[in-house]
Amino acid sequence: MPHTTLPYGSWPSPISASDIAGGSPRLDGARFVDGDAGAAEIWWGESVPAEKGRTAVMRRVGAAVETVLVAPWSARSRVHEYGGGAWTVTDDGVLLFVEASDQRVYRMSPGTQPEPLTPGGQGMSFGDLTWAAGADGSGVLWAVRETHGEERVPTRDIVTIPLDGSAAADAPAILTVVGGSDFVAYPTPRGDRLAWIAWNHPDMPWDASELHVGRIGADGRVAEHVVVAGGRTAEGPVSALQPEWTGDDELMFTADLPGGPGDGRWNLCWVRFEGLTATGPEALAPADADTGGPLWNLGARWYAPLDDGRVLAVRTQGSDDLVLLDPTCGAVDALETPLSGGVLVRDARGARVLLTGAGTQVPGGLWLLDVDARTIEAVRGGVASLPAEWLPRSQSLTFAGPYGDVHAFAYPPTNPEATGPEGELPPYLVLVHGGPTAHASGELSLAVAYFTSRGIGVLDVNYGGSTGYGREYRDRLRGRWGIVDVADTAAAARGLAASGLADPGRIAIKGGSAGGWTVLCAVADTDVFAAGISRYGVADLRRLAEDTHDFEARYLDGLVGPLPQAEPLYVSRSPLSRPETLRTPLLILQGSEDPVVPPSQSEALRDALARNGVPHAYILFDGESHGFRQASTLVRAFEAELAFLGSVLGFDTPGVPPLVLD
């Protein structure tokens, strides 16, 4: 097909903003469930942008897909603000879920109305729902409970919830099994033992978290317990995650233990018990890669023990690989799949495993992997809606930065019907992920192709502080948030331009939340970027420390420094403390109900830009929180971003409404 020569940024594209909103499903967990005929069904949670972003629970029965949890119900937890583990299923197919609107736990069979299991109006939220066999063989519903009372700081404990509905009007019927830590996760019972993960302020779970194992007494509570691994050790901080019993006296988990071949990487470990006396931990096939990640959402899993003793695990070094481990001999068998980014292991039965994730040539989806047959099929999503020639293939790049190597993935402009003018270099949009402990993996994304198909390249940067490269890379940011992330991102952008891939005068930067902070600091402190896009970005560190929720209340201790000692740093690094440095055009996108970065920060930023006479636009989305979910919001946000880039970088953007800059 002949190419039409058109300015970069103005290429005609079949990808619309509504395609992004309705594209790859946002998935939340998956389970195998025994169906009526004995065949295993597959259940999963899925965000529905067209229904105000609610999370439905779906199931596949044969070839048919049915909605189990219908509107207006929505399975979403608010524990730790970001939730996770908002639903599970009993052995006989009863759905147990946390309703988003009131945070109560409900039960329902398909085709019936939900019935409450926990009381309302008492400040309780639940997450990390876990259905497991009790000591007597019967099923028990476990959960992490967060209770907000008169004190500013909520309490958290691991509880069991009766299934007969008795606790719906009687809160004491919910049994506290163990508490005593600021945060708890992964309730993992086996017989009369319970394993769980705990951590305390000021640590985040990726800084230092402990693996606990306790004995459950006759009253159903933990009578005594020990710390098996993790936490603040003599050798250094250790993050322990995802305990899984592999036998009555064997427990597997993942931890970034110092020393050895897996130094500072989340690797699988084993401990063995006699009573509560543990032997170990013993590393299982250590590698210079991570089986683990930042625990922003409860219930995240990066490996699964199989029935025959083998273990399927994700290993991350920038991008993701899947390996099959044999603990008896230490053999490691790499599996070839199309997945390479954001891969989580959701459930396993026999040799079949449910995964979520994406790849360089497949969008995000829910996948069914047979580790023996070496087959994989997409259950939901996972199928590109356009021919491959429209979809950019990422290229892994490494740039030299002032603090060390900087990893990134570049997506070149890609359109089979258009080319740029001879001698002209394309504009580029640099993406800065949130967290700041998240990481980019180079996977296929319609949100990226939306820009590349129009002639705008995309560079996705894993600045120092990102996960996926080990603790040393992650800790590069400690005490230097707003310094290292900005320097690394600017170094990547300069390196891209120096390589002749991008027009150095037309590089823009975009990020959300913590990524939005880096955007604001980068446009204030460097001359690399011609425009910035901030989605609910942090603009004032002191306000963030004052306003944010408890999960992140002490996060800044590690990223910047503890208050009040480090207050001068909070002031000097915040863009709103030095508004005279804000001279770069900005687009600010904000949710009206954001509890993490309230609208007041974005509005103060808007006012500073107006006083400086800097071109800008501010859009407030009613009903949105920290992260956009509604289809109408996503459409308007992406169209506004494209129109903004065209206005500032100098190209027409046909097919999208113009954006008036103030």
Side-chain angles (χ1 to χ4, degrees):
M1 179 178 295
H3 288 67
T4 301
T5 299
L6 291 169
Y8 287 110
S10 299
W11 297 353
S13 170
I15 303 172
S16 68
S18 59
D19 292 328
I20 303 172
S24 299
R26 185 171 181 168
L27 301 169
D28 183 15
R31 289 285 304 275
F32 289 110
V33 179
D34 289 330
D36 295 335
E41 301 173 353
I42 296 173
W43 293 39
W44 67 92
E46 179 177 330
S47 179
V48 187
E51 297 176 2
K52 297 185 177 181
R54 80 175 187 95
T55 300
V57 177
M58 320 284 287
R59 67 173 177 174
R60 187 178 79 173
V61 182
V65 173
E66 303 174 355
T67 301
V68 178
L69 188 64
V70 299
W73 298 93
S74 178
R76 190 177 179 195
S77 168
R78 287 289 189 187
V79 174
H80 300 174
E81 191 58 42
Y82 299 103
W87 67 275
T88 188
V89 188
T90 68
D91 297 334
D92 54 354
V94 175
L95 175 65
L96 309 168
F97 71 97
V98 180
E99 162 56 29
S101 62
D102 60 14
Q103 291 299 288
R104 301 173 75 183
V105 178
Y106 290 78
R107 64 171 288 164
M108 63 166 290
S109 297
T112 67
Q113 282 295 307
E115 301 172 348
L117 297 180
T118 59
Q122 298 194 31
M124 291 187 287
S125 300
F126 299 86
D128 224 349
L129 300 189
T130 302
W131 177 255
D136 61 358
S138 62
V140 178
L141 176 59
W142 299 77
V144 171
R145 175 174 63 178
E146 182 175 278
T147 304
H148 293 259
E150 295 181 358
E151 300 294 329
R152 180 184 178 188
V153 178
T155 61
R156 299 174 182 88
D157 52 0
I158 291 175
V159 301
T160 56
I161 301 171
L163 293 187
D164 60 6
S166 58
D170 181 21
I174 301 171
L175 180 67
T176 294
V177 180
V178 70
S181 301
D182 292 338
F183 303 94
V184 290
Y186 293 111
T188 309
R190 176 86 172 210
D192 66 349
R193 291 195 190 101
L194 176 71
W196 72 97
I197 299 296
W199 67 98
N200 294 296
H201 285 308
D203 288 320
M204 300 300 286
W206 47 86
D207 294 327
S209 54
E210 300 172 336
L211 170 61
H212 293 241
V213 174
R215 183 181 59 80
I216 302 172
D219 61 356
R221 305 176 190 273
V222 168
E224 55 180 332
H225 74 278
V226 295
V227 177
V228 175
R232 293 281 167 179
T233 73
E235 293 77 21
V238 174
S239 169
L241 298 169
Q242 194 192 337
E244 302 277 358
W245 293 101
T246 55
D248 290 340
D249 299 307
E250 294 180 347
L251 183 67
M252 190 174 290
F253 62 100
T254 184
D256 58 353
L257 299 173
D263 183 20
R265 307 303 298 254
W266 276 300
N267 274 196
L268 292 179
C269 302
W270 251 349
V271 288
R272 293 171 175 82
F273 289 92
E274 184 174 338
L276 287 182
T277 302
T279 301
E282 173 190 346
L284 172 60
D288 188 20
D290 287 316
T291 298
L295 189 65
W296 286 101
N297 302 105
L298 292 168
R301 283 175 160 76
W302 295 271
Y303 73 95
L306 306 183
D307 293 344
D308 62 3
R310 294 176 297 172
V311 179
L312 179 74
V314 180
R315 282 184 170 175
T316 305
Q317 173 58 23
S319 56
D320 296 341
D321 292 311
L322 282 163
V323 297
L324 197 60
L325 307 177
D326 187 342
T328 62
C329 63
V332 179
D333 187 7
L335 299 180
E336 292 187 9
T337 77
L339 307 182
S340 60
V343 181
L344 291 173
V345 182
R346 300 296 190 171
D347 199 10
R349 178 172 293 190
R352 302 198 308 160
V353 183
L354 291 173
L355 309 166
T356 53
T360 59
Q361 292 298 291
V362 293
L366 170 63
W367 306 83
L368 176 61
L369 170 69
D370 189 312
V371 300
D372 287 339
R374 303 298 170 99
T375 59
I376 188 168
E377 65 168 296
V379 176
R380 189 68 162 176
V383 178
S385 58
L386 289 169
E389 57 263 28
W390 286 97
L391 304 174
R393 183 183 291 270
S394 65
Q395 179 185 3
S396 177
L397 300 174
T398 301
F399 302 97
Y403 298 96
D405 287 345
V406 182
H407 303 291
F409 292 91
Y411 299 83
T414 304
N415 186 313
E417 299 177 1
T419 189
E422 185 176 355
E424 181 179 322
L425 291 173
Y428 257 76
L429 179 62
V430 174
L431 300 184
V432 187
H433 62 65
T437 53
H439 84 277
S441 300
E443 66 266 23
L444 177 65
S445 165
L446 277 181
V448 169
Y450 179 74
F451 295 103
T452 58
S453 63
R454 289 171 165 81
I456 305 168
V458 171
L459 182 70
D460 212 349
V461 180
N462 282 318
Y463 50 87
S466 304
T467 48
Y469 300 94
R471 180 177 281 272
E472 182 178 356
Y473 196 82
R474 192 165 77 242
D475 283 351
R476 184 190 291 180
L477 197 60
R478 287 191 66 81
R480 298 186 289 187
W481 193 35
I483 305 297
V484 166
D485 49 323
V486 171
D488 284 359
T489 304
R494 289 191 185 101
L496 187 77
S499 68
L501 296 176
D503 182 343
R506 294 195 295 168
I507 299 178
I509 184 172
K510 168 185 169 181
S513 188
W517 157 264
T518 304
V519 167
L520 299 177
C521 292
V523 299
D525 297 335
T526 79
D527 58 0
V528 175
F529 303 102
I533 299 171
S534 171
R535 290 190 176 195
Y536 36 88
V538 177
D540 187 322
L541 290 178
R542 288 180 300 176
R543 291 189 189 182
L544 178 64
E546 293 169 358
D547 296 341
T548 197
H549 53 94
D550 186 55
F551 179 66
E552 295 182 79
R554 302 289 300 278
Y555 193 13
L556 297 183
D557 283 29
L559 292 175
V560 182
L563 289 170
Q565 301 94 316
E567 185 170 7
L569 293 177
Y570 284 62
V571 175
S572 63
R573 292 188 195 172
S574 296
L576 280 179
S577 298
R578 42 197 173 89
E580 69 281 357
T581 63
L582 296 171
R583 297 293 179 183
T584 301
L586 279 171
L587 171 62
I588 308 164
L589 306 174
Q590 175 70 43
S592 66
E593 299 180 7
D594 192 333
V596 181
V597 179
S600 60
Q601 286 204 34
S602 292
E603 289 162 2
L605 180 65
R606 172 203 61 193
D607 295 343
L609 292 166
R611 288 193 297 270
N612 290 348
V614 177
H616 67 279
Y618 172 68
I619 304 176
L620 182 69
F621 295 101
D622 288 336
E624 289 287 8
S625 184
H626 197 67
F628 299 153
R629 289 176 174 264
Q630 299 182 37
S632 59
T633 299
L634 294 170
V635 169
R636 189 179 180 201
F638 276 100
E639 289 184 344
E641 289 169 356
L642 181 60
F644 172 74
L645 293 176
S647 177
V648 176
L649 302 184
F651 51 80
D652 294 330
T653 55
V656 301
L659 181 69
V660 177
L661 302 184
D662 295 324

